Amino acid sequence: MTNASNSAQSSVPVPNAGTRVLHRTSTSIPPRAVRGEGIYIFDQNGKSYLDACGGAAVSCLGHSDPDVRAAMHAQIDQIAYAHSGFFSSDAMEELADELVASAPEGIDKVYFVSGGSEATEAALKMARQYFLEIGQPDRKYVIARRQSYHGNTLGALSVGGNMWRRKQFEPLLITASHIAPVYQYRDQRDDETPEAYGLRVANELETAILELGAENVAAFVAEPVVGATAGALAPVPGYFKRVREICDQYGVLLILDEVMCGMGRTGTLHAIEQEGISGDLQTIAKGLGAGYQPIGAVLVSKKINDAIANGSGFFQHGHTYQGHATACAAALATQRAIKERNLLTNVVKQGENLVAALEAKLGQHPFVGDIRGRGLFRGVELVADRETKDPFDPALKINAKIKKAAFARGLMAYPMGGTIDGVRGDHVLFAPAFIIDENDVAKIVDLFAGALDDVFKAEGLA
């Protein structure tokens, strides 16, 4: 009886049988990437995929940069890893010097980690410890924005405004408050200028601070240009200047999350440069090391560093792989390549070409509602009705179908759902490598348009 039962159970097909990896989904096994060449990835069958999203806005130099690879080999030949509790390294020190030299005003130190979520965790802890060091222990609350994404670890998830990612883990999360994002396409009123709209939503921060009690609020966390959750939402003029004023007025730290939008992605090395302010803490990752090794960092202002240095003298935090020598060498080579090859000029140029091509090809598409973003960080929001801006029924899973259709055509794009409120709305994010040219832009748009046709025809909508 038992054997028969076990035999029956074992005969049931397992969707991801044949792999011991717990992949992101149990419904299928992804193809294996075996080679990278420029902006293309090749699978085990030789099929090529044009990487128009950098994986997740990571691969800013493409997948085979010779200078970065050489720097990694040279570092490995010297020493691959030394624990930061015992040693520093030339690569770590030189990278920190490079980052501070090009950082927004007030940045004095760099704290290295292994990725974006770790950077958010470190920044949150650093903000809390700062107030303990200066004798304000009641400051513990963090304010962020709806439709934001700051990482997937518990602290990062707590401050993030991606409701779908948060929902099932709510009992584990710390308390955080969320105010409105800058979502001009949907939320700016007809009687408002962009500046008036920005002032209105920025002032929600002041309201939230006063509701919590200014003496209790530690930090406000925001992406200068919102990435994955809302699809390249850029701020309106004056928004961040007002945010900075409010933070200064109430003694609240401003944490800028540039994990996805930073390190050149929007056309300046730091996205916040375009807003004329700087933060007290700033997180970076993804484009920092271009994916050649896992690395992230927190850029730390002088006032925060001084408070810790002149107080306990010890930041109570740490990770095994922070300041990893090979990762720092890769990141240093990446940043030098961006600077020495003048790639930010190309980001601006090809970003303009990309948005122009998208508007020419899809600007009047019946299901394209908004094309937005900065530099090579562009989002396309899809709607069921252009006039009313009504989204598609989430049950249709339009974003997932577009990802599949594009991938079948050999295009890597970054579609997401829940754009509006965590449930409704679909968008596609583009974040190609800084090395693309006009021909690459044309291929991206043609393949994407073809994928849209494939999906909407299959849905009986075209």
Side-chain angles (χ1 to χ4, degrees):
M1 180 78 68
T2 300
N3 289 340
S5 176
N6 288 341
S7 176
Q9 289 177 0
S10 64
S11 67
V12 176
V14 178
N16 61 358
T19 178
R20 295 295 183 187
V21 177
L22 180 58
H23 287 288
R24 287 176 175 243
T25 173
S26 297
T27 59
S28 62
I29 301 174
R32 298 188 184 191
V34 298
R35 182 167 62 92
E37 185 177 319
I39 62 170
Y40 289 89
I41 292 178
F42 296 81
D43 70 15
Q44 74 271 31
N45 297 315
K47 181 177 178 179
S48 65
Y49 303 84
L50 196 169
D51 185 358
C53 58
V58 174
S59 302
C60 59
L61 294 183
H63 298 280
S64 56
D65 190 90
D67 292 343
V68 180
R69 291 162 59 191
M72 292 171 64
H73 281 293
Q75 183 62 51
I76 291 169
D77 287 343
Q78 295 173 4
I79 183 169
Y81 163 75
H83 193 281
S84 61
F86 297 92
F87 296 100
S88 185
S89 68
D90 288 343
M92 180 161 52
E93 296 291 343
E94 290 176 29
L95 177 59
D97 288 344
E98 185 95 9
L99 292 175
V100 170
S102 59
E105 184 179 356
I107 297 300
D108 188 56
K109 299 287 184 180
V110 183
Y111 185 85
F112 290 109
V113 291
S114 297
S117 295
E118 281 188 16
T120 299
E121 296 289 324
L124 293 174
K125 285 186 174 181
M126 203 173 291
R128 170 60 180 164
Q129 185 170 334
Y130 167 77
F131 286 111
L132 293 177
E133 300 280 6
I134 66 170
Q136 297 183 29
D138 291 336
R139 288 190 184 263
K140 56 184 178 296
Y141 294 124
V142 177
I143 301 170
R145 302 188 294 186
R146 297 188 295 275
Q147 294 310 99
S148 61
Y149 180 65
H150 301 296
N152 245 345
T153 49
L154 289 177
L157 199 60
S158 297
V159 298
N162 185 310
M163 296 302 127
W164 173 76
R165 291 180 186 269
R166 289 169 53 94
K167 188 175 181 180
Q168 68 175 335
F169 302 110
E170 285 281 359
L172 304 177
L173 304 183
I174 61 174
T175 300
S177 299
H178 293 88
I179 62 174
V182 180
Y183 198 164
Q184 191 175 11
Y185 171 64
R186 292 193 173 273
D187 294 343
Q188 182 179 324
R189 298 194 304 251
D190 292 338
D191 64 346
E192 286 180 313
T193 63
E195 291 80 4
Y197 165 61
L199 186 63
R200 174 166 64 84
V201 291
N203 283 336
E204 286 194 23
L205 174 59
E206 182 175 37
T207 299
I209 290 172
L210 293 175
E211 287 176 350
L212 293 167
E215 71 282 2
N216 299 317
V217 179
F220 175 58
V221 186
E223 300 159 276
V225 181
V226 180
T229 296
L233 287 180
V236 292
Y239 171 81
F240 271 105
K241 285 189 176 179
R242 177 57 183 148
V243 164
R244 181 73 267 183
E245 289 173 357
I246 293 168
C247 288
D248 289 342
Q249 180 179 352
Y250 295 102
V252 172
L253 297 180
L254 176 57
I255 302 175
L256 298 172
D257 178 350
E258 294 212 6
V259 166
M260 183 173 262
C261 67
M263 305 317 294
R265 176 56 59 190
T266 63
T268 49
L269 189 62
H270 303 284
I272 201 63
E273 291 179 48
Q274 299 172 46
E275 308 309 314
I277 69 156
S278 56
D280 299 296
L281 295 165
Q282 182 177 321
T283 59
I284 57 175
K286 298 186 186 292
L288 172 60
Y292 287 89
Q293 285 280 274
I295 190 169
V298 183
L299 305 181
V300 183
S301 65
K302 187 176 188 302
K303 80 172 185 179
I304 291 178
N305 174 66
D306 286 353
I308 295 174
N310 297 327
S312 66
F314 169 66
F315 177 38
Q316 191 177 325
H317 186 62
H319 289 283
T320 299
Y321 296 112
Q322 70 183 67
H324 192 283
T326 309
C328 287
L332 181 60
T334 296
Q335 295 311 304
R336 287 177 174 171
I338 291 171
K339 181 179 180 180
E340 292 167 5
R341 301 176 199 170
N342 198 25
L343 288 179
L344 296 187
T345 299
N346 196 56
V347 171
V348 173
K349 178 182 178 181
Q350 301 309 332
E352 291 171 352
N353 287 337
L354 178 57
V355 75
L358 286 168
E359 289 174 347
K361 189 90 170 181
L362 300 170
Q364 300 305 311
H365 192 286
F367 303 124
V368 172
D370 193 29
I371 298 171
R372 54 183 179 246
R374 290 180 179 173
L376 286 176
F377 199 45
R378 300 288 174 173
V380 177
E381 183 166 343
L382 303 167
V383 293
D385 188 306
R386 282 169 57 95
E387 295 300 317
T388 64
K389 302 181 183 178
D390 287 343
F392 287 102
D393 182 344
L396 291 175
K397 298 182 178 179
I398 291 294
N399 62 88
K401 291 173 181 176
I402 288 171
K403 179 179 180 181
K404 184 176 181 179
F407 201 62
R409 284 178 171 263
L411 177 70
M412 293 168 57
Y414 197 132
M416 288 285 289
T419 313
I420 301 169
D421 55 12
V423 177
R424 300 174 303 137
D426 300 272
H427 70 263
V428 180
L429 188 66
F430 293 97
F434 300 173
I435 61 175
I436 64 169
D437 60 24
E438 289 85 348
N439 292 329
D440 300 324
V441 167
K443 290 177 185 177
I444 289 169
V445 174
D446 284 346
L447 289 168
F448 177 55
L452 291 184
D453 287 344
D454 293 343
V455 171
F456 291 128
K457 284 178 182 177
E459 296 295 320
L461 299 173

